[in-house]
Amino acid sequence: MQTLIQTLNRDEILRYLGYQGQDISPALEDTLHRCMGRTLEMISPKSLYRRFKIEHRENGIAVLGTPVFLSGQDIRRHLENCEEIYLLCVTVGLEIEREIRTAMLLSPDEGVILDSCATTAVEALADLAEREIAAQCKTEGKNITWRFSAGYGDLPLETQKEIIAAMDTHRKIGLSLTDSLLMTPSKSVTAIIGVTDTTRDPRPNKCDYCNNRAHCAFRKRGTQC
């Protein structure tokens, strides 16, 4: 589905840029708002999600009716109270990427800000889709887990191939995967969300499962990605 993103969170953009409450110059504020406007004009937000039954096996979790197999202890713990999941895929399109590449050559400062704006946009899109999923589950008296992506913890990044294939994302939302497992467009997110009868997991982030935990710039600044 296509979801309209009308605003971008300025504080999130600044957080991605590494700001921690410093004063922002009028010139930078002007550039920031100009880049936010350009981003909103150029993104093409698209989201896709589907619900599947899962089967817990000794060596992992099979997503029934698909080629997706979720291996690793972290995802098994994450979904231990779930019998169903949603696969979620979102992207904000290629046009904003072209704009970022051009800006990086002509005005690198604006390019960096545009990149942070686009990252904020795709995360906002994933949040919107997650809220839609949560609302659907709430009508059934169920909750959801936070979204877990291939590459978190010991869930292999190669799982991305299976998710992309199962969701037919190239045809439906224009999202593909390169041989090196990079998503195209790069400002895209795929994730697994569990459906559960238990209280929603209160953890606000995925830091405990992140392979980059020891070197994360966000954690060093006292924030989260």
Side-chain angles (χ1 to χ4, degrees):
M1 69 184 67
Q2 189 157 351
T3 304
L4 183 63
I5 299 177
Q6 296 179 324
T7 61
L8 295 177
N9 188 317
R10 172 185 174 277
D11 292 339
E12 281 295 290
I13 296 166
L14 289 172
R15 191 168 67 86
Y16 282 119
L17 289 169
Y19 282 81
Q20 302 180 65
Q22 303 99 314
D23 290 336
I24 305 299
S25 70
L28 178 56
E29 192 73 58
D30 180 68
T31 302
L32 177 62
H33 282 278
R34 187 167 64 252
C35 288
M36 290 168 66
R38 286 164 67 188
T39 300
L40 290 171
E41 289 175 1
M42 294 189 169
I43 58 175
S44 180
K46 294 178 182 177
S47 60
L48 175 68
Y49 53 81
R50 286 180 58 196
R51 189 168 175 169
F52 299 92
K53 292 185 180 298
I54 58 174
E55 183 178 273
H56 295 263
R57 299 177 181 173
E58 185 175 345
N59 59 338
I61 297 172
V63 182
L64 301 182
T66 80
V68 181
F69 189 80
L70 308 175
S71 62
Q73 294 302 312
D74 293 327
I75 189 65
R76 293 176 70 184
R77 284 193 294 268
H78 189 67
L79 299 176
E80 62 184 351
N81 295 314
C82 304
E83 295 181 358
E84 293 179 290
I85 63 166
Y86 280 86
L87 295 181
L88 166 67
C89 305
V90 304
T91 184
V92 292
L94 283 169
E95 187 176 1
I96 185 62
E97 289 191 17
R98 299 188 187 103
E99 184 72 5
I100 291 169
R101 287 196 294 269
T102 299
M104 287 292 191
L105 294 173
L106 301 178
S107 178
D109 289 346
E110 287 196 17
V112 170
I113 294 173
L114 278 172
D115 187 78
S116 294
C117 288
T119 298
T120 300
V122 75
E123 289 295 330
L125 182 61
D127 289 343
L128 285 170
E130 183 177 327
R131 286 199 288 272
E132 290 177 3
I133 290 170
Q136 291 178 12
C137 292
K138 187 177 181 179
T139 65
E140 305 169 23
K142 297 180 182 293
N143 287 301
I144 63 171
T145 66
W146 47 264
R147 54 184 188 262
F148 198 110
S149 292
Y152 287 175
D154 58 2
L155 178 64
L157 186 60
E158 287 77 10
T159 308
Q160 197 83 276
K161 291 181 181 178
E162 300 168 3
I163 294 173
I164 293 291
M167 297 293 282
D168 192 15
T169 59
H170 177 69
R171 184 174 65 86
K172 292 181 177 177
I173 61 172
L175 172 58
S176 302
L177 201 64
T178 69
D179 291 339
S180 55
L181 303 179
L182 296 175
M183 286 188 286
T184 304
S186 64
K187 298 303 182 183
S188 304
V189 170
T190 67
I192 301 145
I193 298 175
V195 180
T196 175
D197 293 323
T198 62
T199 302
R200 186 168 187 180
D201 191 329
R203 288 172 294 182
N205 65 79
K206 315 162 186 69
C207 294
D208 291 342
Y209 295 96
C210 182
N211 292 325
N212 194 43
R213 178 181 173 86
H215 311 288
C216 178
F218 287 108
R219 291 188 71 244
K220 290 177 181 178
R221 297 198 298 265
T223 62
Q224 303 158 1
C225 70

